[in-house]
Amino acid sequence: MQTTVNPDLITRAVNFIRSRVDFPIQAAVVLGSGLSELAKVDNPIEIPYAEIAGYPVSTIPGHKGSLILGFQKDISVAYFLGRKHYYEGEGIDKAVFSVRLIAALGIKNIILTNAAGGIREDLSPGDIMMITDHLNFMGTNPLIGAHHSQWGERFVDLSNLYNQQFLEYAMAGAQEKTIILHKGIYAAMSGPSYETPAEIRMLKMLGADAVGMSTVPEAIVAAQHGMRVAAFSLISNKAAGLQASLNHAEVMEAAQTALPRLKTIIDSLLSRIDAE
Ligand code: HPA
């Protein structure tokens, strides 16, 4: 039987991090495939996930597996470099460990990032899409299982999951720097195979603009904890059937071209959060 994530496990991890970092943390940023370079803070404190008791370490190339804390101008930020995915097979609760930890650290603002396949015609490799809503096709939900009331409600309202204020901040930041920031609906699949062309046609009919294998479980758990959530998809490829074939190397490559633009958008969002 796999160990499940429980409040004691999270408390142990928090105590360990708090032994290294004593300042309040205003925002957390979870970085997906190939996006580790976005974590630039002054006087960084780096804690490899492997040093944090109970932390599920990812096995995916491009996912670095460490926590970087520090200040960016005046705002204190925790960058999570790499995430555990549901498809790694260790249970959905492992995929949301970071978010439980972020909540227990007292962080109220979370920015999630991912690489995704573009379904809507105007979404091409290198484009950035801010998630306005999602379709959960993972076949599971991270809130299934024991309910710990200190984590929040059993039945969590997702009517306003992706924070409207954050959407406005990010749009304003992008416009100021003349960066195109798309908005759209993200469909989460379990993976790890990419979708079939027929599945992509189905998702398109159901209103999905982009598709990926992460973010949704984390966003749901963040909502349970009452956090404000922003989420960005970096379009790494056109989804199956809309281009010849798909591969992970291409996902990593597209991430590189969009990195400076995504960094500008996230930095401007962080500075607007700081100015509140
Ligand atoms: N499908 C699912 N996940 C992905 C894709 C895709 O096309 N691209 C990057 N992550």
Side-chain angles (χ1 to χ4, degrees):
M1 167 90 182
Q2 292 162 347
T3 53
T4 51
V5 174
N6 58 50
D8 288 347
L9 210 59
I10 299 292
T11 303
R12 269 206 292 159
V14 168
N15 290 343
F16 177 71
I17 292 165
R18 279 294 170 212
S19 72
R20 303 274 309 272
V21 181
D22 58 3
F23 49 83
I25 306 159
Q26 287 163 269
V29 185
V30 178
L31 297 173
S33 302
L35 303 178
S36 298
E37 274 177 46
L38 292 182
K40 292 264 174 4
V41 292
D42 300 328
N43 305 318
I45 298 167
E46 180 159 5
I47 307 176
Y49 291 161
E51 285 181 18
I52 306 171
Y55 203 105
V57 179
S58 178
T59 54
I60 310 307
H63 284 261
K64 195 169 167 217
S66 69
L67 169 58
I68 294 185
L69 301 115
F71 282 81
Q72 229 176 302
K73 300 214 181 90
D74 294 333
I75 186 166
S76 50
V77 186
Y79 282 96
F80 287 76
L81 278 58
R83 56 155 62 89
K84 193 85 186 162
H85 293 82
Y86 176 50
Y87 60 70
E88 292 178 65
E90 289 163 47
I92 190 72
D93 56 330
K94 298 296 193 321
V96 296
F97 185 98
S98 309
V99 182
R100 300 281 187 211
L101 182 59
I102 288 164
L105 284 164
I107 303 172
K108 305 270 187 264
N109 303 301
I110 187 166
I111 301 172
L112 303 167
T113 65
N114 61 52
I119 297 177
R120 205 172 68 209
E121 265 129 52
D122 65 334
L123 294 173
S124 300
D127 284 349
I128 301 168
M129 183 189 91
M130 191 160 188
I131 300 176
T132 56
D133 205 347
H134 75 229
L135 294 165
N136 181 7
F137 283 113
M138 280 190 158
T140 188
N141 186 293
L143 308 185
I144 290 173
H147 176 234
H148 303 287
S149 56
Q150 64 268 55
W151 285 350
E153 304 277 341
R154 162 101 276 186
F155 304 104
V156 176
D157 180 13
L158 303 183
S159 306
N160 300 294
L161 173 47
Y162 299 94
N163 185 268
Q164 184 61 31
Q165 183 70 69
F166 283 1
L167 205 72
E168 286 165 22
Y169 285 164
M171 284 293 160
Q175 202 167 31
E176 206 173 274
K177 306 279 181 189
T178 60
I179 293 169
I180 296 170
L181 177 57
H182 297 271
K183 288 191 241 183
I185 293 174
Y186 175 91
M189 306 291 272
S190 73
S193 65
Y194 291 112
E195 301 68 37
T196 62
E199 284 166 345
I200 294 301
R201 288 194 296 275
M202 171 192 76
L203 292 175
K204 190 180 168 95
M205 275 192 270
L206 296 176
D209 299 308
V211 58
M213 306 173 193
S214 68
T215 304
V216 161
E218 292 148 299
I220 292 172
V221 169
Q224 185 183 39
H225 287 281
M227 275 183 246
R228 295 193 295 175
V229 181
F232 298 95
S233 285
L234 197 160
I235 305 300
S236 56
N237 55 277
K238 283 192 173 274
L242 307 175
Q243 67 171 52
S245 63
L246 309 182
N247 66 72
H248 187 64
E250 171 189 65
V251 170
M252 304 295 290
E253 208 177 282
Q256 297 315 305
T257 69
L259 225 54
R261 278 176 287 127
L262 186 56
K263 177 152 179 52
T264 303
I265 291 169
I266 290 177
D267 287 354
S268 77
L269 174 55
L270 288 170
S271 71
R272 281 170 166 82
I273 292 171
D274 189 38
E276 284 179 334

